[in-house]
Structure formats: structure tokens, C-alpha cells
Amino acid sequence: MQRYFLIFSIIFLSYLLLINYNPPVDSFKEELSVSDSEYSLSTDTDDFVSDNDIVSEETFLFAETCSDNDSYSFSNENWKAKIDLKTGKIIYAELIKFPENSGSEINKLIFNDCGLERYSQLSGFAFLNFDQSKGSQFEVSENYKDGINDVYVLEKRSNNLLIKKIISFGPKDYYLKIRDSVQNLDLSNIKLAPFSKIDRSSEIVEAKGSGFTDPSSFAYLGPAFRTTEENYLKISFNDIEENNFKETSSDGWAAMLQHYFLSAVVPSDEQNYVFQAKQKNNGDYSIGIVGETTNLASEGSAFFNHKVYFGPKIQSELTKAHPELYLAVDYGFLWWIGQPMYQAMNFFFEMVGNWGWSIILVTILIKAILWPLSYVSYKNMGKMRQVQPMLKEIQERYADDRQALSKAMMDLYKKEKVNPALGCLPMLLQLPFFLAFYWVLIETVELRYAPFLFWITDLSAKDPFFILPILNTLAMWGMQQLQPQPVGTDSIQVNVFKYMPFIFGVLFAFFPAGLVLYWFINSLVSALQMYLHGPKS
């Protein structure tokens, strides 16, 4: 069994190397230049508007947006936000219940168009044959309660257009329901298309961890989509720099993901939209949805309904904005283990009110589910301990004949009905659960700065006093003592395997406390199972 510790470490470290691999990027890449025709969101028809038509007015007003206080603030129990009255752009969103860092008085920002990183959301209509008045701006014409929802009505007159933006949200929602509308007061027809997009500067200031033991270093940062064709698709920033992403769909969402948090636009109308991602001429990244181009007759009105989510990756909150938005919580290729594991953790948290105890209960639950398979392995391990004296005697008898030694050992295994290969079963069974839990730890924002007991004030960070890693080392050492010692192993290998628990202890010392807690309880329960399946000598 000792060698399986080594196999486990090799597999795990290789896995971390694989998911953290970033190929070098050519720093002399040509500057991206996109014309209207190149960016037309439909290559076959002109049913969808060009992005250049969308950004024309906001580009004109960008300098003014960050140079004055012409914005309007609104909030609920979870966040504070600001909308720019010139463009209707959401330029600021602060999450009240999530500090930027542990113990910090500064809250986490999602949108912040006037900070170091330009990050904002804009929706409305792009006009292809009509110029809006550059000096017009929104005014809050109404503010009222619609049941439990707060409703804000913003409107402005721009030449012969009456433009409205109705924003509503609940007291605890992390998303806005937005209804953009325009009424044509002109005598001629107007060609327009609805859109909603999220822009983020290429100068991304989101902190990334470093090293194998920091989960944030593996967290995905970039756009992701769900459409009728793709259940979940990540389009990295590097991919966007090479090619624009476009896909037509009547359902789905477009999101900008980061560690623990995201922003997303979700269409509410059952119509075709182009889900898009591109790099703009100024280098910023843009994702979103664009609707079909239509002609609006004189005195006619057009409407566009959608939702904008900005907040933590809490699955129960994400599904309120869209039933499939929870897919943005990415558990990797082991999602089929990670998702039930998270649901079980959440279930136990509702019972005990502490994520540390929830991890312990989930670990015990997993061991109980795997009990039948583990039982076979541990029972076989007990038999292996019984035949150790006989194996040693055979080794001494056939010390000079390797072929005869192998045949005698195989005959003994058959006679005693022992299978040495079953010794690796417990470790192999635990490996996928360990890797899945690592991804759950990366993506579960509820574990961010979550306390456990006494000295452990953050399950997503390492144990500050290394108490859990020490306990984990002792538990792994106990497991090693209960395992049958291999016959015929040279002294160097014996010494190496003897120190494997301590090597793992040093490695685990820098992993998040939640992960170490999981492995410690797993080792403790495994040792107890080994002890119960005698014989003891």
C-alpha cells in the first residue's frame, strides 16, 4: 500500500500541472482591427446589428462618464449599484456582504467602470439610420414598489425618440429585471436592434493566486456561454483575441466569470439572439447578446426584456436568474461527482450551520457509500497480514531463484484466496472524490472566509498554525502502520515509504484548511475501518 501513496501524489500533482498549464502568448501579436463588415453578427444576412453601431454613443460620452457625478444610485440588502444617466450603463456594483479580503472594510466590486479596471453593463437599442441627441440623458420619472420589488423607471427624449428603461429587483436578488423600450415619434421608419452587453477592460485587476496549493490560481477567468447548441462553453480571452465568438440561440446566457463571482446577461424573450464575444478596437473584451434588426414605424414601440446578474456563484441565487445559470459554477470533468457533493454539503450546512462540520459529514457519507467496495479491500488486507510470515518464509527459501519465488508466492495467494492488487482499491476510490472536492472548494463561494473551529477562521485558506496538517499526518501514519508491510522490499524503498505520510503532511500544510479537513477525516475513518477488519498482527 505504501507505493499507492506515491502513485496518488504523482497523479494529483500531474493533474494540477495540467489544469494550470498556460502556453506562452506571442507578445508581438498584431493589433486587432475589426471593421463593420467583419463583425457583422450574421455572415449571411443583415438581420443583426454591427457592434460599432452599439458603441458609438457610449464612446462619445466615455470621457464625461467618469469626470462628473451624473449618476443615479439604487440598492437592496445585498448590493449597491450606480447607473450612468447619460448612457444608461451600469457603472458600479458593490456586494455588501462580501468583503474584498478577509477582515477588510472594503466590499467586493463587480462593475466599476471608473476604476482601474473598466467593467460595466449596457443595454438598449442600437439605431442604424437615426442619430440620437448627444446631450440628452435619462431622468428617474418613477420609483415605486411592485409587491416586494423595487421599480425604477428611467426615461429620456432623444430627438424624436422616447426611450425608457424599467429596472426592477427584489430585496435579496442579485439580478435586475430590465425592460428597455423605445417609441418612435418621428414621421419616418427607424431601423434598430436590441442588445445587452458586458464590457471588461483588458487590464484585468482580479487577483490570481500562485502555486499548486492556492485554489484561486486554477479558477477560470473569462467569458462563458450557454446556448441551445452548447450546454456550457468557455471562451478564453486568448481565444477571443484570435477569433470572435458568435452563436444564434433563443435561450441561454452570456457570463463573465471570475473566482467566486460572475456577471451575466440573460434574455427573457423567446426570440433569437446572437450570443457574442469579441475584443474591441481599444483592447477591451465585450460579451453579450444582440437581437434581430427590425424596422420601427412612426408611432410604433419596441421592447426588450432581459436580466442582468452580478454577484456570487451561489447556485440557489443563480437559478433565480436562469434555471441553467448554475452551470457557470464549473466543477471540471468531475462535475458529476462535484455537483452531488456540493448539494450534500449544502444540505448538511442547513442542518448544522457550519461549513466545517458539513465537510466532515459529507466525508463520512462518502465513506459510507464506498463501504461495500472498501470492505472487500480491507478484508483482503487483513488476509495479507496473516500470510506475511509465510511470504517471508518463502522469500528465504527461494532467495536465489526469482522464478521459483514468484511461482511460490502466486500459489500461496491462490491457496489463501488473497489478491494483492486489491490493496490499491481504497486509494483509487478516493482519488476522484478528492479531485472533485478540490474543484468544489475552488468554486464554492460559501466557503470563502467561512470559519470552522477556534483557530480556523477561513476554510478556503491554509491552517495558520498547521494543526490540521499535523493531525492529518498522524492519521496517515496510523493508516500506514495498519497496512501489511511488503515482503522483499529493499531498505531504501522501505525508508522512502516510511516518510511518505510526512511528505504528504508538508504538501497538505499549504492547501486550504477545508481540503485538509476532508482528507484528515477520510484518513481517520479509513484507519478505523482497517483496524476493525482484523487481524491485528
Side-chain angles (χ1 to χ4, degrees):
M1 274 293 290
Q2 292 96 331
R3 72 181 63 185
Y4 301 125
F5 284 108
L6 182 60
I7 294 172
F8 172 81
S9 62
I10 293 173
I11 294 174
F12 180 60
L13 292 176
S14 299
Y15 175 73
L16 293 180
L17 280 170
L18 178 64
I19 62 177
N20 200 39
Y21 173 67
N22 290 309
V25 179
D26 185 3
S27 60
F28 299 100
K29 183 183 294 183
E30 290 185 11
E31 182 179 356
L32 183 64
S33 177
V34 183
S35 67
D36 285 14
S37 60
E38 289 175 324
Y39 191 70
S40 175
L41 293 181
S42 176
T43 56
D44 300 322
T45 69
D46 193 30
D47 290 339
F48 296 94
V49 69
S50 165
D51 187 64
N52 288 343
D53 296 303
I54 295 175
V55 301
S56 57
E57 183 179 4
E58 67 165 310
T59 302
F60 177 83
L61 293 172
F62 175 75
E64 298 180 32
T65 299
C66 292
S67 63
D68 59 26
N69 297 318
D70 214 353
S71 62
Y72 187 82
S73 300
F74 50 98
S75 62
N76 69 3
E77 297 178 17
N78 293 327
W79 47 261
K80 300 176 183 178
K82 293 181 183 179
I83 188 169
D84 175 52
L85 294 176
K86 290 184 174 67
T87 60
K89 178 196 297 184
I90 300 175
I91 58 174
Y92 183 86
E94 170 189 350
L95 303 182
I96 298 172
K97 297 180 180 179
F98 292 89
E100 179 66 31
N101 299 296
S102 181
S104 172
E105 296 182 0
I106 301 174
N107 293 325
K108 180 68 180 179
L109 297 182
I110 300 297
F111 298 127
N112 188 22
D113 198 42
C114 301
L116 295 175
E117 178 187 359
R118 298 183 299 278
Y119 192 2
S120 64
Q121 188 277 333
L122 177 66
S123 68
F125 292 89
F127 302 95
L128 281 71
N129 62 347
F130 191 88
D131 292 327
Q132 297 187 60
S133 172
K134 295 296 190 293
S136 63
Q137 70 176 40
F138 285 99
E139 294 182 358
V140 180
S141 60
E142 294 182 76
N143 173 213
Y144 59 89
K145 284 273 190 180
D146 179 12
I148 63 171
N149 294 319
D150 285 297
V151 181
Y152 293 83
V153 180
L154 291 76
E155 62 177 78
K156 70 175 179 178
R157 291 287 295 265
S158 179
N159 291 341
N160 289 328
L161 299 176
L162 177 59
I163 301 173
K164 286 188 178 182
K165 184 182 291 285
I166 302 175
I167 302 174
S168 62
F169 51 87
K172 296 183 179 181
D173 290 340
Y174 283 101
Y175 69 94
L176 307 176
K177 290 176 283 188
I178 299 178
R179 180 179 176 87
D180 288 298
S181 68
V182 58
Q183 183 179 2
N184 182 12
L185 304 178
D186 199 73
L187 297 177
S188 58
N189 292 353
I190 297 176
K191 195 175 184 181
L192 50 76
F195 73 92
S196 180
K197 70 191 186 94
I198 295 171
D199 288 342
R200 189 166 190 175
S201 169
S202 56
E203 299 296 327
I204 295 174
V205 298
E206 172 73 8
K208 291 283 286 182
S210 59
F212 293 133
T213 59
D214 189 347
S216 66
S217 63
F218 303 108
Y220 176 70
L221 176 64
F225 296 85
R226 185 201 180 272
T227 65
T228 52
E229 296 293 327
E230 298 285 350
N231 199 40
Y232 178 69
L233 179 64
K234 293 188 290 189
I235 307 293
S236 69
F237 290 130
N238 288 339
D239 292 338
I240 294 174
E241 291 173 7
E242 295 178 2
N243 294 293
N244 300 329
F245 169 77
K246 311 167 193 175
E247 189 169 304
T248 304
S249 177
S250 59
D251 182 40
W253 44 261
M256 190 72 78
L257 308 184
Q258 63 191 71
H259 192 209
Y260 292 138
F261 303 94
L262 66 86
S263 60
V265 294
V266 181
S268 300
D269 301 319
E270 294 183 0
Q271 301 176 8
N272 282 332
Y273 293 92
V274 168
F275 290 72
Q276 62 169 11
K278 67 161 288 185
Q279 186 177 35
K280 297 160 65 175
N281 289 338
N282 66 354
D284 290 357
Y285 302 105
S286 180
I287 67 165
I289 56 175
V290 179
E292 293 186 22
T293 302
T294 58
N295 286 306
L296 185 61
S298 178
E299 299 301 324
S301 298
F303 303 92
F304 171 44
N305 297 295
H306 69 289
K307 298 173 184 175
V308 176
Y309 184 96
F310 51 94
K313 292 179 180 178
I314 299 176
Q315 294 192 32
S316 59
E317 297 295 334
L318 294 169
T319 53
K320 293 178 183 178
H322 189 282
E324 307 297 331
L325 188 53
Y326 77 93
L327 293 172
V329 183
D330 184 13
Y331 295 141
F333 72 96
L334 291 172
W335 60 268
W336 49 279
I337 298 177
Q339 187 63 243
M341 187 178 288
Y342 167 78
Q343 296 298 337
M345 283 176 55
N346 196 55
F347 172 77
F348 286 125
F349 176 77
E350 294 295 328
M351 293 175 55
V352 299
N354 184 283
W355 287 104
W357 287 112
S358 176
I359 290 172
I360 291 174
L361 291 173
V362 166
T363 309
I364 295 173
L365 176 62
I366 292 172
K367 295 297 290 183
I369 293 173
L370 298 178
W371 171 255
L373 294 175
S374 299
Y375 175 79
V376 174
S377 177
Y378 293 141
K379 189 175 181 180
N380 181 80
M381 197 177 298
K383 291 182 179 180
M384 283 293 295
R385 292 180 66 87
Q386 283 183 311
V387 301
Q388 287 298 303
M390 289 180 279
L391 285 172
K392 190 173 182 180
E393 181 184 345
I394 290 173
Q395 182 190 21
E396 292 174 353
R397 186 187 310 166
Y398 299 103
D400 299 326
D401 190 342
R402 302 291 296 180
Q403 185 175 356
L405 174 63
S406 299
K407 184 178 184 303
M409 290 175 65
M410 292 303 297
D411 291 340
L412 178 64
Y413 291 149
K414 288 179 182 179
K415 178 182 176 182
E416 300 295 333
K417 297 180 180 179
V418 176
N419 186 352
L422 286 177
C424 66
L425 187 60
M427 187 66 70
L428 293 178
L429 288 174
Q430 289 302 319
L431 182 58
F433 288 91
F434 180 82
L435 297 178
F437 184 76
Y438 189 78
W439 277 107
V440 171
L441 187 70
I442 290 175
E443 290 289 280
T444 303
V445 66
E446 293 94 329
L447 295 178
R448 183 178 185 256
Y449 309 143
F452 177 40
L453 290 175
F454 308 117
W455 73 98
I456 300 178
T457 58
D458 182 3
L459 286 167
S460 66
K462 69 179 182 180
D463 184 334
F465 300 110
F466 304 108
I467 296 175
L468 266 181
I470 292 173
L471 293 175
N472 184 51
T473 301
L474 293 175
M476 294 179 72
W477 178 81
M479 284 179 60
Q480 189 182 68
Q481 300 309 303
L482 292 170
Q483 294 164 7
Q485 300 303 308
V487 174
T489 306
D490 63 70
S491 58
I492 296 178
Q493 291 186 40
V494 169
N495 289 327
V496 169
F497 291 140
K498 184 186 300 183
Y499 291 105
M500 283 302 293
F502 302 100
I503 295 172
F504 266 83
V506 173
L507 178 65
F508 272 76
F510 301 96
F511 275 108
L515 190 69
V516 182
L517 177 63
Y518 168 81
W519 196 250
F520 166 60
I521 299 300
N522 177 77
S523 300
L524 205 60
V525 175
S526 296
L528 179 62
Q529 290 175 334
M530 288 182 187
Y531 179 78
L532 293 176
H533 290 285
K536 311 301 185 300
S537 60

